Amino acid sequence: MSFQRACGINDVEPGSGTSVTLTDAAGKAHIVGVIRDENGGWHAISDLCTHGDVLLSEGDVEDGCVECWGHSARFNLVTGAATLPASEPATVYQLSIEGEDVLVDVDSTTKDNK
């Protein structure tokens, strides 16, 4: 598969995120958090906290990380690296902006999540 539309550029304000479900080439659904950091940079990360079933896109965005509102684990938006209490990193997806569209490739990740 390749990049697919996740949302529009006006759907997410800096310092916030939105949750979308996208399907990979094998037909597997991925819940993806499309997040804009406080500087307006765009990121796509697995939206479920690796410590619990909490949507990361609903957490606070600060210093290049998103914080899980459930247990305060933080995930780096570029690498997916986690802080305690989470021990597993989050999957980070490739993201592209084309015109007014935010596109995400759920088949291209920073780690093998299969």
Side-chain angles (χ1 to χ4, degrees):
M1 194 161 265
S2 58
F3 285 97
Q4 53 191 301
R5 186 179 191 282
C7 62
I9 61 170
N10 295 319
D11 294 337
V12 183
E13 296 293 324
S16 66
T18 191
S19 186
V20 298
T21 301
L22 302 173
T23 305
D24 66 20
K28 179 181 175 187
H30 297 264
I31 302 172
V32 177
V34 176
I35 297 175
R36 284 185 79 184
D37 62 36
E38 63 272 21
N39 297 316
W42 291 92
H43 307 275
I45 190 167
S46 175
D47 204 20
L48 290 178
C49 177
T50 60
H51 180 254
D53 288 334
V54 175
L55 293 179
L56 294 177
S57 61
E58 296 176 355
D60 292 330
V61 179
E62 185 176 42
D63 297 329
C65 294
V66 61
E67 182 175 278
C68 173
W69 58 267
H71 298 100
S72 299
R74 291 173 52 89
F75 294 87
N76 183 289
L77 292 169
V78 174
T79 67
T83 63
L84 292 177
S87 59
E88 291 291 319
T91 301
V92 175
Y93 302 98
Q94 296 294 314
L95 181 143
S96 177
I97 305 293
E98 289 188 16
E100 301 287 311
D101 295 323
V102 178
L103 308 175
V104 175
D105 184 352
V106 292
D107 292 302
S108 181
T109 67
T110 60
K111 74 178 187 108
D112 184 14
N113 63 340
K114 294 183 171 89

